[in-house]
Amino acid sequence: MSRFDVLVIGSGAAGLTAALTLAPTLKVGVIAKGALGEGATNWAQGGIAAVLEEGDSFDNHVADTMTAGAGLNNRAIVEHVVSEAPAAIARLAELGVPFNPDGDGWHLTREGGHSHRRIVHVADATGWAIQQALEAAAAAHPNIALVPDMVAIDLVTGRHAEEFSTSGAVHGLYAFNRNSGRVETLLARATILATGGAGRAYLYSTAPRGATGDGIAMAWRAGCRVSNMEFMQFHPTCLYNLGVKNFLITEAVRGEGGVLTNPKTGHRFMPDYDERAELAPRDIVARAIDSEIKRDGLDYVHLDISHREPEFVRDHFPNIHEKLLGLGIDITTQPIPVVPAQHYTCGGVLVDVDGRTDAPGLYAAGEVTQSGLHGANRLASNSLLECFVFGEAAAKHIIANWAALPEPPSIRAWDESRVTNSDEEVVIAQVWGEIRRFMWNFVGIVRTTKRLERAKHRIDLLRQEVADYYRHFRVTPDLIELRNLVEVADLIVRSALSRHESRGLHYTLDYPEMAADAVDTVLVP
Ligand SMILES: Cc1cc2nc3c(=O)[nH]c(=O)nc-3n(C[C@H](O)[C@H](O)[C@H](O)COP(=O)(O)OP(=O)(O)OC[C@H]3O[C@@H](n4cnc5c(N)ncnc54)[C@H](O)[C@@H]3O)c2cc1C
């Protein structure tokens, strides 16, 4: 059994921001289910949105965020996050993130849905640079213990206490230690979920392998409300290459003049769908590509930036240029084959402005949450920003309310007396593949009630199967993830079925119109 003042589950932008804010005052344990840099943060290419350009304003950023979010955003939260952005960027620069300079300030790119140049970046590897800086600062801090290879299974609540309680308070978690192969109990007065999204519920996703919605499923099982899970963002431009899955071509390629063409006809099709053409919000671009692909039976469409100076292309997109060159595509002279892929989970665990969930002692920050910032669709580059603002807010709230957070009670150790080692692991791979395939086919970019019901029917069967399996066999990382994936798929489908309109990322042929009132989907355990 290990004890910390505060436990942070997740070592991406949200988790490490929280840990660094807590560390001057409290002892923090940060766990990650694999290596520390395996979350989505490391993969972010584009950058972070902040109002820094002359002539831009907080009001503009708020308006762009609300337009993308189709009015479902919580305006007060949007205003709060937008106004915190410049300070968050300054803190990162202080930590040593080498943002691209421009004159006295930083170079800003423009991305779809933004009315101004607003994206602070480190070439096209912003997330990597941020992860490096945060990890280095956390590793150097004596009050932070970084614990990789520790897979959270479930939150510890009063139900796991020697003295049973239904208070709902969270006191830490049970986690599987990959190195010892044993389940450990980690206790803390406060716990922060920073486990990222649930993209791997889909067959095609730009999200890392570990994005299986663990935090959402754990919070749900611990009694927290989950909201807006139907709003899954599909990135319009993932590289189409059968050997290399999940390589994203950043929005900034379109921001810097890249055009989308139909490879059969050579026609630039985006102006047919939206007056903003390639700079329309992601959902519109993704649906347009989906429609071209389905109508003409294509495998992919082309994204072409070869009309710009080769030097400009190489300077702005060094990683993409190099990666694709290795695959035989020179983007300074050739178009890039692209398809849409799941990219961002807008919904998640409901939190307030301080990152508090419904469970006392449990906070959450980053992609695992529904904070009210994104509404029905995330504006590009607002998500890293959300991690910094809420990671810090949760930490500050914990510090300010430290005295009110109780010491964890005595907790029962993990009980393995009634389980054995699995003799049919093939079930896990089979069910995992099934879920991702039907989620892609039935709960994807364009939905219908019938398809959603088909998905629901399958989930109900698989849930039962996975629950049986979980009851009988020792946990493994794959089983832990699969159990969460089924839970999260169920939450996505139930949310989608309950929304009788098309809004933002949720587009259904049965309810193609947007309703007059914007109402969040809130699922109550
Ligand atoms: C390819 C790509 C490009 C992107 N580009 C941008 C961009 O340019 N700008 C932008 O704003 N956003 C971008 N995003 C989104 C953004 O990167 C993410 O929303 C953000 O990084 C999420 O950070 P996080 O801290 O919430 O989670 P993550 O960085 O995903 O970290 C999750 C952490 O939780 C841990 N974890 C998960 N489950 C468990 C468990 N069961 N037990 C223990 N630990 C666990 C993981 O190990 C990991 O450490 C991009 C996303 C992708 C995939």
Side-chain angles (χ1 to χ4, degrees):
M1 183 172 307
S2 315
R3 272 177 189 265
F4 301 94
D5 290 335
V6 183
L7 247 178
V8 179
I9 315 176
S11 57
L16 291 176
T17 300
L20 287 167
T21 312
L22 290 159
T25 337
L26 297 166
K27 293 227 178 281
V28 191
V30 180
I31 71 162
K33 70 173 159 184
L36 295 171
E38 275 179 8
T41 299
N42 215 8
W43 296 25
Q45 295 178 341
I48 311 162
V51 172
L52 296 165
E53 190 189 51
E54 215 173 306
D56 195 4
S57 66
F58 288 158
D59 284 347
N60 289 336
H61 191 175
V62 170
D64 293 345
T65 303
M66 303 278 301
T67 302
L72 196 64
N73 328 58
N74 177 331
R75 177 175 273 279
I77 292 289
V78 178
E79 287 173 353
H80 170 66
V81 173
V82 161
S83 68
E84 292 285 314
I89 303 286
R91 279 197 304 278
L92 289 167
E94 250 170 60
L95 278 181
V97 178
F99 292 120
N100 284 26
D102 186 16
D104 291 342
W106 290 294
H107 180 262
L108 304 170
T109 52
R110 185 163 169 194
E111 289 186 338
H114 286 276
S115 58
H116 285 76
R117 284 191 167 264
R118 200 176 276 152
I119 317 303
V120 189
H121 64 109
V122 183
D124 58 354
T126 311
W128 180 83
I130 291 170
Q131 183 75 31
Q132 295 294 309
L134 291 175
E135 252 183 68
H141 206 294
N143 271 354
I144 298 179
L146 295 170
V147 191
D149 294 326
M150 189 66 92
V151 190
I153 304 171
D154 261 322
L155 295 162
V156 163
T157 66
R159 291 174 188 276
H160 305 100
E162 300 280 2
E163 221 165 287
F164 185 86
S165 140
T166 52
S167 74
V170 168
H171 307 295
L173 70 143
Y174 292 118
F176 177 86
N177 182 332
R178 285 183 195 263
N179 299 316
S180 67
R182 305 198 68 84
V183 175
E184 297 183 14
T185 310
L186 310 178
L187 298 181
R189 276 164 72 168
T191 303
I192 302 179
L193 281 174
T195 46
R200 285 304 174 118
Y202 286 88
L203 186 59
Y204 299 107
S205 170
T206 64
R209 163 73 180 69
T212 46
D214 297 2
I216 298 169
M218 284 191 286
W220 174 254
R221 288 194 292 266
C224 298
R225 287 170 303 161
V226 167
S227 171
N228 289 352
M229 288 301 291
E230 68 273 39
F231 298 114
M232 275 293 165
Q233 187 171 67
F234 289 81
H235 196 287
T237 55
C238 184
L239 173 69
Y240 176 81
N241 180 297
L242 296 181
V244 181
K245 296 216 167 81
N246 310 326
F247 186 71
L248 175 83
I249 310 297
T250 170
E251 198 102 44
V253 173
R254 282 180 284 128
E256 297 299 345
V259 292
L260 284 161
T261 60
N262 182 313
K264 228 181 199 174
T265 60
H267 177 61
R268 180 184 170 202
F269 57 83
M270 270 319 298
D272 304 342
Y273 292 88
D274 193 283
E275 61 192 18
R276 289 161 291 186
E278 280 81 4
L279 290 180
R282 283 182 177 166
D283 56 324
I284 293 174
V285 181
R287 272 206 295 277
I289 296 175
D290 191 58
S291 153
E292 293 283 312
I293 286 176
K294 292 214 166 105
R295 191 192 60 213
D296 288 356
L298 308 170
D299 286 330
Y300 54 81
V301 297
H302 275 149
L303 174 60
D304 197 350
I305 190 150
S306 63
H307 52 280
R308 301 230 41 181
E309 284 296 307
E311 203 169 84
F312 175 89
V313 174
R314 276 192 296 266
D315 277 0
H316 276 72
F317 309 110
N319 287 308
I320 296 175
H321 176 255
E322 199 186 309
K323 171 89 178 176
L324 269 63
L325 214 48
L327 297 170
I329 302 167
D330 180 352
I331 64 170
T332 64
T333 58
Q334 291 170 285
I336 310 166
V338 292
V339 283
Q342 189 287 343
H343 184 54
Y344 186 78
T345 311
C346 289
V349 183
L350 256 189
V351 289
D352 70 6
V353 67
D354 295 311
R356 277 189 296 177
T357 71
D358 290 334
L362 181 67
Y363 294 73
E367 194 169 337
V368 66
T369 66
Q370 200 286 89
S371 67
L373 174 65
H374 305 304
N377 190 1
R378 169 191 72 137
L379 182 65
S381 289
N382 266 356
S383 40
L384 280 171
L385 178 58
E386 183 185 40
C387 293
F388 304 125
V389 173
F390 282 89
E392 190 191 30
K396 283 186 166 167
H397 193 271
I398 290 169
I399 293 168
N401 294 278
W402 186 242
L405 289 161
E407 276 293 338
S410 182
I411 297 293
R412 283 179 277 124
W414 185 256
D415 180 7
E416 283 198 334
S417 59
R418 278 166 295 179
V419 291
T420 58
N421 285 332
S422 165
D423 56 1
E424 43 178 307
E425 287 209 10
V426 62
V427 172
I428 294 184
Q430 167 66 26
V431 176
W432 182 289
E434 254 179 74
I435 294 176
R436 298 185 68 203
R437 204 167 288 277
F438 70 67
M439 287 299 285
W440 181 257
N441 288 327
F442 299 154
V443 198
I445 297 172
V446 176
R447 298 165 180 175
T448 66
T449 303
K450 210 170 186 175
R451 287 184 209 157
L452 293 174
E453 281 168 351
R454 283 206 173 106
K456 178 81 180 109
H457 181 63
R458 282 164 175 77
I459 290 170
D460 289 345
L461 292 172
L462 294 179
R463 264 175 87 95
Q464 196 52 46
E465 233 165 75
V466 173
D468 273 357
Y469 194 97
Y470 187 79
R471 253 195 305 276
H472 289 104
F473 298 119
R474 281 204 174 88
V475 290
T476 61
D478 284 350
L479 176 56
I480 294 165
E481 290 186 335
L482 179 65
R483 176 174 175 243
N484 294 328
L485 209 64
V486 182
E487 195 77 78
V488 161
D490 188 50
L491 294 168
I492 297 169
V493 172
R494 280 170 57 188
S495 303
L497 274 169
S498 72
R499 186 166 292 280
H500 293 172
E501 62 163 345
S502 288
R503 181 185 294 274
L505 298 165
H506 177 70
Y507 185 73
T508 162
L509 296 176
D510 291 303
Y511 303 98
E513 304 299 326
M514 188 154 85
D517 296 328
V519 183
D520 286 325
T521 304
V522 178
L523 299 179
V524 183

